[in-house]
Amino acid sequence: MSNQFQGYQINKTDDGQSCELKQLSDDDLMEGDVTFQVEYSTLNYKDGLALTGSSPVVRTFPLTPGVDSCGTVISSESDKFVPGDQIILNGFGVGEVHSGGFAQKARVKSEWLVKLPEGLSSRQAMAIGTAGYTSMLCVMALENHGIKPEDGDILVTGASGGVGSVAVALLSKLGYRVVAVTGRMSEEGFLKGLGAAEVKDRAEFADKARPLYKELWAGAVDVAGGNTLANVISQMKYGSAIAACGLADSMSLPTTVAPFILRGITLYGIDSVMAPIPKREAAWARLVKDLDMQLLEDLSFDLDFADLQQAGADILAGKIRGRAIIKIPE
Ligand code: NDP
């Protein structure tokens, strides 16, 4: 591959930051012991923030955004990877402080990389992306808590989004009865197609929560935080657990200790960014086994590399449904 390649680059300007798709060279690559050709990427909420400059997620300039990427190793100074290896990269500050996947080439640290598991294509890995892999971490937290399908319904908030939609698909395939919460009731058909048994309007979770409601859920995956999560907490069954990973509603959590001390519920915080490699490998292996790849295809759509800036604004406006797959031009 030539030392010239195409990529997005974010630069600091007097009034904030600029982002453009331009010709880059190997001099733009950052420090690392593995260089790879990026074949596929995807779009996360964080990428939307980076591409539009609407929140200071990018903290090093110039920087190529793109939290997620999948590709083939071109050169490696690490004995863990050799040219030709297919790898997955996400988290560890990539797309924030280290250049990421919205370019034809990237150079990163080998300790951030996971080998593409057998049975998964690069395209499927990016259809899953950070969102799907975070869903799996949430599901694993509920399983580790000992929650079984016979214990009752599992609630998933933000169900039409990236994390939520994959969580619905995964949990239903694992035999759980899933209740999906969405602000887009027009997506009821889509969510039932993923395996949701029931779909609830997010408006039911919007008001300030009372300390306790009727016990409804054996487990929950929450991407919202705020009043949404507070209402979920108040509705959890005795001994149940929630895997909380996001703040799509709010960073705040206006709840009380009542559900914790009277119903013994557990709130698990899920972090995908700094998750250690063995946990990542376990999650990717489980995704190969437990995610219905046809459903994954159904909830994914192709996004043109050249349209990323508009798509970044769209994801912030809540206009993206399911998972975007970006083929990086060769
Ligand atoms: P998406 O933007 O794809 O989905 C978020 C969904 O949340 C939306 O589609 C919407 O679903 C719902 N939502 C939006 N606004 C609100 C609101 N005000 N109240 C309740 N629900 C709302 O994002 P992702 O699925 O990729 O990520 C979800 C969250 O998880 C984000 O906050 C993200 O930052 C976080 N995250 C955290 C990770 C971690 O490591 N902890 C990793 C990945 C993501 P609907 O229309 O169906 O209601």
Side-chain angles (χ1 to χ4, degrees):
M1 195 178 188
S2 110
N3 73 344
Q4 301 284 309
F5 60 95
Q6 287 286 309
Y8 284 83
Q9 192 178 64
I10 297 175
N11 278 285
K12 208 173 175 62
T13 60
D14 289 342
D15 48 358
Q17 65 179 56
S18 65
C19 179
E20 59 176 328
L21 178 57
K22 60 191 279 200
Q23 185 88 352
L24 300 173
S25 82
D26 283 359
D27 293 339
D28 294 299
L29 294 172
M30 292 177 91
E31 210 180 307
D33 54 353
V34 173
T35 304
F36 68 98
Q37 181 178 349
V38 186
E39 284 154 4
Y40 283 94
S41 185
T42 183
L43 182 72
N44 295 286
Y45 192 85
K46 216 181 250 177
D47 297 318
L49 294 174
L51 287 161
T52 58
S54 42
S55 173
V57 287
V58 175
R59 302 186 299 285
T60 303
F61 299 92
L63 182 122
T64 294
V67 168
D68 282 276
S69 52
C70 199
T72 304
V73 172
I74 301 169
S75 63
S76 167
E77 288 156 32
S78 154
D79 52 11
K80 282 194 282 174
F81 298 94
V82 295
D85 278 349
Q86 287 193 289
I87 49 86
I88 304 175
L89 169 68
N90 65 8
F92 294 115
V94 173
E96 300 177 69
V97 292
H98 193 103
S99 282
F102 295 164
Q104 292 171 307
K105 214 191 257 193
R107 188 188 293 136
V108 299
K109 292 188 179 167
S110 54
E111 60 257 38
W112 300 340
L113 297 172
V114 168
K115 282 201 179 137
L116 183 72
E118 226 168 281
L120 198 67
S121 69
S122 308
R123 183 184 155 83
Q124 287 167 330
M126 288 297 98
I128 294 169
T130 293
Y133 141 77
T134 304
S135 307
M136 192 74 236
L137 294 179
C138 291
V139 170
M140 285 159 67
L142 298 185
E143 285 177 341
N144 289 341
H145 192 78
I147 299 167
K148 307 237 164 6
E150 56 271 27
D151 294 332
D153 294 358
I154 309 291
L155 193 73
V156 177
T157 64
S160 316
V163 174
S165 54
V166 178
V168 171
L170 276 172
L171 288 160
S172 64
K173 176 141 189 260
L174 288 165
Y176 293 92
R177 186 176 186 278
V178 181
V179 177
V181 179
T182 183
R184 294 180 264 181
M185 287 306 284
S186 55
E187 298 295 354
E188 185 168 358
F190 166 71
L191 292 167
K192 288 199 165 159
L194 295 180
E198 221 179 295
V199 179
K200 282 186 170 289
D201 193 324
R202 123 171 33 127
E204 291 178 40
F205 297 80
D207 292 338
K208 186 174 182 325
R210 291 212 307 264
L212 293 171
Y213 291 109
K214 190 173 163 201
E215 295 182 37
L216 294 174
W217 318 115
V221 172
D222 179 69
V223 307
N227 277 347
T228 308
L229 177 54
N231 276 283
V232 174
I233 287 173
S234 300
Q235 296 176 4
M236 297 306 292
K237 283 188 173 186
Y238 191 93
S240 63
I242 303 162
C245 70
L247 38 65
D249 179 356
S250 165
M251 175 93 100
S252 72
L253 183 50
T255 187
T256 73
V257 295
F260 298 91
I261 62 174
L262 299 176
R263 292 180 178 165
I265 73 157
T266 303
L267 179 62
Y268 290 102
I270 304 300
D271 167 60
S272 69
V273 178
M274 300 309 290
I277 293 292
K279 193 170 189 179
R280 288 167 186 262
E281 288 171 341
W284 284 105
R286 284 288 309 274
L287 283 157
V288 176
K289 188 159 82 71
D290 294 325
L291 184 60
D292 180 328
M293 291 299 158
Q294 186 53 52
L295 275 188
L296 178 69
E297 188 61 35
D298 295 346
L299 63 81
S300 305
F301 65 97
D302 289 295
L303 176 61
D304 201 38
F305 184 58
D307 295 337
L308 260 171
Q309 271 168 294
Q310 180 56 48
D314 287 347
I315 198 168
L316 300 187
K319 291 189 193 155
I320 300 274
R321 179 186 90 173
R323 304 283 308 130
I325 303 175
I326 303 158
K327 168 104 181 73
I328 309 298
E330 283 169 31

